[in-house]
Amino acid sequence: MSERSAHSMFEVTDLSVRYARGEAPVLRDVSLTIDRGESIALVGDSGCGKSTLALAAIRLLPKTACIRGSIVLRGDHRAMPVDILGSDERAIERVRGRRIAMVFQDPIGSLNPVMRIEKQLAEVLRVVRGASRSTARRAALESLDRVGIADPIRVGRAYPHELSGGMAQRVALALALAGEPELLIADEPTSALDGIVQAQIVELIRETQRQTNLSLLLITHDMAIAKSLANRVCVIEANRLVDDCPIDQLTASNRHAATERLIQAAEFKRSAAITLMERTP
Amino acid sequence: MTKSTHTSQETERQAPRLRISNLHVSFANRAHRWLQRNASRIHAVHGVDLSLQPGACLGLVGESGCGKSTLARAIMGLVPLDRGTVALDGSDVQCTNSRSSRQRIQMIFQHAHASMNPRMTVESIVTDPLRFDDRCRKSERTQRVAGALQLAGFDEQLRGRYPHELSGGQLQRVAIARALVLEPDVVICDEPVSALDVSAQAEILAQLKDIQQTRSLTMIFITHDLDIAAAICDRLAVMYLGRIVESGPTAEILRHPKHPYTHYLSTARNLERTGGLAQLEGEPPSPTAPPAGCAFHPRCPIRTDQCIAQTPSLASTGQPSSQHQVACHHSDRIVELQKITTTD
Amino acid sequence: MTIANPTNPILWTDRASASKRRNWLTRSAAAIAITFILVALLAPLLAWHQPIVCKYQGKYYFPAISDTASRLPLVGSWFQKAKPFRFPSFDARTELEPNAFALWPPVPYGPMEMVADANCAASRAHWLGTDDRGRDVLARLIHGACVSVRVGVYSMLLAGIVGIVIGGAAGFCGGAIDWMCSRLIEIMMCFPAFFLILVVMVWIGNGVTGIILVIGLTQWTSIARLVRAEFLSGRELDFVDAARSYGASGWYIALRHLLPAALAPTLVALTFGVADAILLEAGLSWLGLGVGADVATWGGMLRDAYDQIRTHPGLMTAPCAAIFISVLCCHILGEQLRRSLDPRIGFGESRS
């Protein structure tokens, strides 16, 4: 094994995706490495292909999609490397939820609408951890408690539509973390949420990462969120990865034009408020 | 700075363009259980008073579910009012229920894509309102549509496209054009940019601000994002659970929030520093069972028994700029809250 | 460890071939459906006991063409006024004058004519043989298509109109009107349709018009429910609110914004309904309650063949195949229509 693999836990090499033969590619030759415990933000406008990368990472793309390149999950010492694109379906099923978990933009839509929260959680815990029926329920309530839900018993008995957006996103996070994954893919986890709740979820993800050495692949269009969670930012523009830089070098002058544009767009709103506050005595 | 005080003094003398007084809206909430039906009412908007001078831009800020969209729909006449009046230039919109007075208030919807008929082209979407404008002759329609699309910054070349063939930003421009084609006096924007990418947000906001100023439109801008409100509005009204809890000039509210909720709203904006700040605990309460007294008290760190017993009303803060109003029993203790958040 | 392999054969699946297959199926279904409709419209040019063109006593006559024209929808009655030349009998063709000539349809027999011995096998004179009364099976099949297509199309047109009006009124007006229309739909649906049809057929009597009326007036319920649901969900959409906010009237919203959205699923349901109507008509004719013994129909042919199922089972094949193929075509076309009219299937597949 090379020196690099000691640190990197997830490698995407020259990934190209098109949804059907003959269509324009959604991703072109994207290469990306995530080290253990690292948080990477994938930033770009909608339609640039960033969600496709997330779906490809757990092989949830439609069967008709044409994929080239490779995605390898190296993981830590306890598990073998997995070739995500080349393995058979059963091997991938063992990876999903257990080693790579995903949180989606629409939290309520990503939960089963006809199942109580605690039952959904218990189900996942039984599958990924092999918990027994009786311990699964207790573990479900514990995991709700861990994602900062003040009243786990009441929330556990609720159906998804009875929850607020922030609460549902916490539940979705609890579901994702149930399998103690090595990599969490968060696809726009806060863009459907209001300011206060957004801040709460950002803080929760940050706290979870601190406790569990989780690697994070954050997908967002908002550079402000990327800055608040990631330590490296990858910018995608027009289906290509155009920039990849550590967070502290974002302000450096020689950045790609797309990066500059995204930074400026994020600062546009803030700047108006700041100038307003500075102008008034 | 001097310019802004000048204009505010000037507008004070004018009669308000839009005046909303004591507006109440409620919905029947039918919870179906097996073989029984529980009917209760959700009080979505609870006694809202607003007044807008001509050319003013008011930001209505609050979490989702606080009733700000319902308020917008009530002003538009899309939901029935329980009580209260919406007066345009002094005359009640409901009494003079003629089409032309309604058309003087137009709305930009949150989801541009859903607000357009998927089977119509951009051109026919923007032309559609003109069919109901009695003043507009058939021959003028094309010209008016072209003018509105240009005002909204929409590319003329794309006018034959269908909504699903356009990007979010372009779609929002079509929505703006459709709202402006009737040349209204008041435009209500219901979260016009929250579904957009940050980069598209900036463009649309700049465009809206530009239109608002050049046309001296009266605008109500609904958003959950204080930064967006600050970028475009000269006054803010913060809504919590159907009530307005704080209102005043934007800069004043951003600098010296008087209501604890507004305080948390403005601290939450700084995502990079959230770790160091105390966060607002708990979830917004359900409008089906609003808390007694001040609706914010279950989440408020400076609550007292008075907050549980008595609902505070919107009152002037006593600051020199008397336009700043707040509905809190302890607005003078807000300094304590700032100490909590900074030392924590 | 070599993990990266540039091309994964499992993942390179071909969506184009699946859509090509579907295209081929739809095209053949459409071709068959068009053929059936053409056959129905032009039946006397294909199988008739009169020639297409003939010269008789020095004059030219076009008896089959004028018969065809007189059977066309809408304009047919205009042609009926001119009484055409008719050969007195089938045998007249053998008694033509020496210098006369006649161009006959490919099947020179009428559907009700007894032209040969009973139960002939297929031959060059009778391509599909003859039935128990010596009538040409192919001629009956061609004229049976006429009845099936008329019943299928007209009854669904009627059901569509009734369904859209009642469903649209229920969905758009709401309140008491919705309540009344919904109860009417429920009552109609609860009533056993076949039994209702039987009773009404006895009352109205046989005939194509009667059967069209009966099928049309019993099959509208599913259309009405569909339109009502579309209108109800459409009323909640933002673009309807937008139209209300710029002052559009209720009628305008219903016709311009709601109806087009409801029309697509209605059209699909109607296409499936045509298949049901063809089956219903065949079933009624089989029971002897259909169009009547004086008109050739596929159901009637089945009934005649059924009497001799032990001695001449082959007689069942032709009408069975005709019913099967026409119903199958309707379903394939309906399915393709559903796919092409559903905006989600069209452009919902790509995502960022």
Side-chain angles (χ1 to χ4, degrees):
Chain A
M1 291 246 176
S2 67
E3 189 265 331
R4 188 176 75 149
S5 63
H7 296 290
S8 74
M9 58 88 60
F10 189 74
E11 286 168 17
V12 178
T13 319
D14 293 331
L15 182 74
S16 299
V17 177
R18 53 185 83 201
Y19 274 108
R21 190 171 282 181
E23 276 183 16
V26 193
L27 283 177
R28 277 176 213 253
D29 304 325
V30 171
S31 299
L32 188 70
T33 316
I34 305 178
D35 290 348
R36 192 157 305 131
E38 193 184 24
S39 319
I40 290 202
L42 207 59
V43 190
D45 288 330
S46 64
C48 73
K50 53 193 194 304
S51 292
T52 302
L53 181 65
L55 291 176
I58 47 174
R59 216 168 89 184
L60 278 182
L61 287 172
K63 286 220 164 60
T64 52
C66 303
I67 307 164
R68 236 188 295 216
S70 81
I71 300 177
V72 181
L73 175 71
R74 294 207 188 275
D76 49 22
H77 54 277
R78 61 185 163 148
M80 288 287 288
V82 181
D83 174 10
I84 299 283
L85 296 180
S87 304
D88 61 4
E89 196 58 32
R90 294 197 50 193
I92 296 298
E93 275 166 16
R94 280 197 298 274
V95 169
R96 286 186 201 136
R98 288 177 176 85
R99 299 184 61 187
I100 305 180
M102 197 153 172
V103 177
F104 295 93
Q105 173 173 5
D106 172 19
I108 296 172
S110 66
L111 300 172
N112 184 343
V114 294
M115 230 192 218
R116 291 186 198 279
I117 297 299
E118 71 181 20
K119 196 154 178 234
Q120 291 188 43
L121 260 170
E123 195 104 313
V124 171
L125 287 166
R126 278 171 57 202
V127 172
V128 299
R129 283 198 210 156
S132 72
R133 216 171 264 273
S134 53
T135 54
R137 184 167 178 264
R138 205 171 49 230
L141 294 182
E142 272 168 20
S143 65
L144 283 179
D145 188 47
R146 215 169 305 133
V147 290
I149 287 174
D151 190 357
I153 295 172
R154 188 184 62 82
V155 172
R157 292 199 56 74
Y159 286 100
H161 70 269
E162 295 167 344
L163 301 180
S164 67
M167 196 77 95
Q169 196 58 285
R170 283 174 195 270
V171 171
L173 203 63
L175 276 170
L177 297 175
E180 290 167 354
E182 299 151 43
L183 174 66
L184 178 71
I185 301 175
D187 188 356
E188 306 267 10
T190 60
S191 45
L193 305 173
D194 292 343
I196 290 179
V197 188
Q198 206 168 32
Q200 288 171 349
I201 296 291
V202 164
E203 182 55 33
L204 175 64
I205 292 176
R206 199 183 285 159
E207 188 58 39
T208 312
Q209 250 191 313
R210 203 175 300 145
Q211 285 168 6
T212 60
N213 198 29
L214 183 73
S215 305
L216 177 74
L217 177 61
L218 173 79
I219 289 162
T220 180
H221 62 88
D222 191 343
M223 197 56 101
I225 304 227
K227 276 188 191 166
S228 67
L229 269 174
N231 41 31
R232 224 172 82 215
V233 173
C234 296
V235 177
I236 293 194
E237 189 187 45
N239 316 320
R240 286 177 197 278
L241 191 74
V242 294
D243 203 354
D244 182 346
C245 74
I247 202 87
D248 48 355
Q249 286 171 31
L250 259 186
T251 44
S253 56
N254 55 347
R255 292 262 67 98
H256 192 274
T259 318
E260 294 277 347
R261 189 174 53 79
L262 285 164
I263 293 171
Q264 274 169 14
E267 278 170 1
F268 171 82
K269 296 188 301 182
R270 186 72 55 78
S271 61
I274 289 167
T275 45
L276 254 180
M277 288 168 76
E278 281 167 356
R279 269 194 305 175
T280 40
Chain B
M1 178 58 233
T2 46
K3 193 184 156 216
S4 80
T5 46
H6 174 68
T7 47
S8 71
Q9 279 165 0
E10 193 178 62
T11 49
E12 252 170 70
R13 273 180 251 122
Q14 293 176 356
R17 162 111 324 142
L18 185 72
R19 189 180 192 94
I20 296 152
S21 23
N22 197 24
L23 198 77
H24 287 256
V25 181
S26 63
F27 297 109
N29 174 39
R30 290 204 189 89
H32 286 271
R33 289 274 156 75
W34 176 242
L35 293 182
Q36 71 179 46
R37 197 190 266 181
N38 300 341
S40 60
R41 289 198 82 78
I42 297 177
H43 229 114
V45 177
H46 206 293
V48 165
D49 293 289
L50 287 173
S51 144
L52 274 90
Q53 305 297 331
C57 180
L58 173 80
L60 206 58
V61 186
E63 285 168 294
S64 60
C66 75
K68 52 197 196 309
S69 284
T70 309
L71 178 59
R73 281 167 182 269
I75 299 169
M76 289 304 298
L78 295 173
V79 292
L81 309 182
D82 282 6
R83 231 188 304 164
T85 52
V86 178
L88 191 63
D89 284 336
S91 61
D92 193 338
V93 178
Q94 278 193 306
C95 296
T96 59
N97 204 356
S98 69
R99 196 189 271 169
S100 57
S101 78
R102 278 262 184 244
Q103 283 175 345
R104 291 179 57 199
I105 312 178
Q106 286 297 304
M107 182 160 167
I108 297 170
F109 289 81
Q110 177 172 10
H111 301 290
H113 193 271
S115 76
M116 288 170 201
N117 191 336
R119 289 175 174 77
M120 286 161 79
T121 60
V122 167
E123 181 155 24
S124 52
I125 286 168
V126 183
T127 315
D128 212 33
L130 290 176
R131 290 167 188 274
F132 305 98
D133 186 356
D134 305 327
R135 293 164 301 168
C136 176
R137 268 181 258 114
K138 250 187 181 170
S139 51
E140 294 171 17
R141 280 184 194 165
T142 344
Q143 206 190 336
R144 289 266 297 266
V145 169
L149 285 174
Q150 197 192 1
L151 191 62
F154 185 81
D155 185 2
E156 278 283 299
Q157 307 286 315
L158 306 177
R159 57 195 298 171
R161 296 236 186 143
Y162 288 90
H164 66 85
E165 297 169 327
L166 297 174
S167 72
Q170 287 169 323
L171 219 50
Q172 204 60 53
R173 288 179 192 276
V174 178
I176 294 170
R178 177 174 63 181
L180 294 176
V181 77
L182 286 172
E183 293 168 358
D185 297 318
V186 181
V187 173
I188 302 173
C189 309
D190 185 4
E191 304 252 16
V193 296
S194 65
L196 301 179
D197 282 350
V198 183
S199 47
Q201 274 182 359
E203 289 171 27
I204 296 290
L205 280 178
Q207 189 89 38
L208 273 174
K209 183 79 196 159
D210 186 45
I211 294 169
Q212 196 255 331
Q213 281 176 341
T214 53
R215 292 271 173 135
S216 68
L217 273 177
T218 310
M219 194 184 270
I220 297 182
F221 195 95
I222 294 171
T223 178
H224 64 256
D225 192 332
L226 264 183
D227 284 324
I228 291 176
I232 190 164
C233 306
D234 36 52
R235 282 184 60 216
L236 290 185
V238 182
M239 232 177 141
Y240 191 78
L241 216 67
R243 284 189 168 89
I244 288 181
V245 293
E246 185 165 5
S247 77
T250 307
E252 182 77 22
I253 286 188
L254 284 177
R255 276 179 66 84
H256 308 292
K258 291 289 176 198
H259 197 280
Y261 178 64
T262 321
H263 172 79
Y264 281 112
L265 269 184
S266 60
T267 52
R269 289 180 304 140
N270 204 342
L271 284 171
E272 284 122 284
R273 288 201 1 240
T274 44
L277 299 176
Q279 288 198 11
L280 185 54
E281 297 294 325
E283 291 284 318
S286 147
T288 41
C294 174
F296 188 63
H297 83 253
R299 298 165 86 185
C300 185
I302 55 168
R303 66 167 172 260
T304 58
D305 290 343
Q306 191 193 4
C307 303
I308 302 166
Q310 197 184 350
T311 311
S313 56
L314 208 57
S316 183
T317 52
Q319 292 279 319
S321 60
S322 58
Q323 288 180 330
H324 194 166
Q325 291 180 306
V326 65
C328 179
H329 295 305
H330 306 295
S331 57
D332 47 335
R333 284 173 58 206
I334 194 81
V335 191
E336 292 174 32
L337 203 62
Q338 276 155 356
K339 275 186 195 137
I340 297 174
T341 45
T342 42
T343 54
D344 205 342
Chain C
M1 188 181 312
T2 56
I3 292 169
N5 52 334
T7 50
N8 294 291
I10 337 161
L11 300 166
W12 286 93
T13 46
D14 199 350
R15 187 171 68 165
S17 76
S19 80
K20 232 177 251 168
R21 219 166 19 234
R22 205 162 53 230
N23 254 339
W24 176 83
L25 199 66
T26 316
R27 280 194 192 154
S28 29
I32 294 173
I34 290 169
T35 313
F36 272 47
I37 291 170
L38 281 179
V39 164
L41 283 175
L42 307 175
L45 289 181
L46 297 170
W48 203 232
H49 56 278
Q50 301 287 338
I52 299 172
V53 185
C54 68
K55 190 180 175 193
Y56 188 69
Q57 292 174 343
K59 282 186 181 167
Y60 284 97
Y61 295 97
F62 307 92
I65 292 177
S66 62
D67 280 344
T68 309
S70 69
R71 293 155 62 107
L72 289 178
L74 303 176
V75 292
S77 55
W78 185 71
F79 286 98
Q80 272 169 357
K81 284 176 195 150
K83 261 284 170 224
F85 161 81
R86 296 225 167 271
F87 275 106
S89 72
F90 176 73
D91 297 324
R93 73 179 112 158
T94 53
E95 295 162 11
L96 281 174
E97 300 152 64
N99 58 347
F101 83 95
L103 176 66
W104 289 86
V107 183
Y109 318 104
M112 305 310 292
E113 250 185 324
M114 293 167 209
V115 288
D117 295 335
N119 301 325
C120 281
S123 64
R124 285 194 68 176
H126 304 283
W127 294 351
L128 292 178
T130 57
D131 69 356
D132 58 332
R133 284 181 232 168
R135 297 174 294 195
D136 187 78
V137 171
L138 186 56
R140 288 175 70 72
L141 207 60
I142 288 170
H143 285 266
C146 218
V147 174
S148 289
V149 168
R150 271 169 74 193
V151 168
V153 171
Y154 288 132
S155 63
M156 280 306 115
L157 220 56
L158 184 65
I161 292 169
V162 176
I164 286 174
V165 168
I166 293 185
F172 187 70
C173 302
I177 293 175
D178 183 23
W179 190 89
M180 284 191 319
C181 292
S182 302
R183 296 300 88 79
L184 181 67
I185 293 169
E186 278 159 22
I187 290 169
M188 288 298 291
M189 291 190 102
C190 290
F191 222 78
F194 213 82
F195 175 72
L196 186 70
I197 290 168
L198 289 183
V199 172
V200 177
M201 284 312 290
V202 171
W203 182 47
I204 293 184
N206 294 351
V208 179
T209 320
I211 227 170
I212 288 171
L213 279 177
V214 159
I215 294 179
L217 293 178
T218 50
Q219 301 297 301
W220 57 268
T221 49
S222 56
I223 306 289
R225 290 220 309 187
L226 202 72
V227 174
R228 176 177 173 268
E230 285 289 326
F231 268 55
L232 276 180
S233 62
R235 252 185 357 172
E236 303 297 317
L237 292 176
D238 268 2
F239 67 77
V240 171
D241 272 344
R244 278 172 63 198
S245 73
Y246 54 68
S249 62
W251 275 107
Y252 184 81
I253 291 174
L255 294 179
R256 170 98 184 178
H257 292 295
L258 294 176
L259 191 59
L263 228 46
T266 307
L267 211 59
V268 175
L270 285 176
T271 315
F272 290 121
V274 168
D276 287 350
I278 290 173
L279 279 177
L280 256 178
E281 183 273 327
L284 284 171
S285 299
W286 191 79
L287 287 173
L289 289 157
V291 172
D294 55 335
V295 182
T297 68
W298 293 343
M301 289 170 75
L302 270 183
R303 186 194 55 228
D304 293 345
Y306 185 71
D307 295 338
Q308 314 186 65
I309 195 163
R310 289 180 193 284
T311 49
H312 296 92
L315 278 175
M316 300 283 275
T317 35
C320 271
I323 293 170
F324 174 75
I325 291 172
S326 57
V327 169
L328 188 67
C329 282
C330 284
H331 279 268
I332 292 171
L333 287 179
E335 180 62 22
Q336 183 60 28
L337 209 58
R338 192 182 65 74
R339 285 179 168 279
S340 60
L341 290 178
D342 190 343
R344 277 167 300 183
I345 293 180
F347 42 81
E349 280 171 336
S350 61
R351 53 219 276 202
S352 69

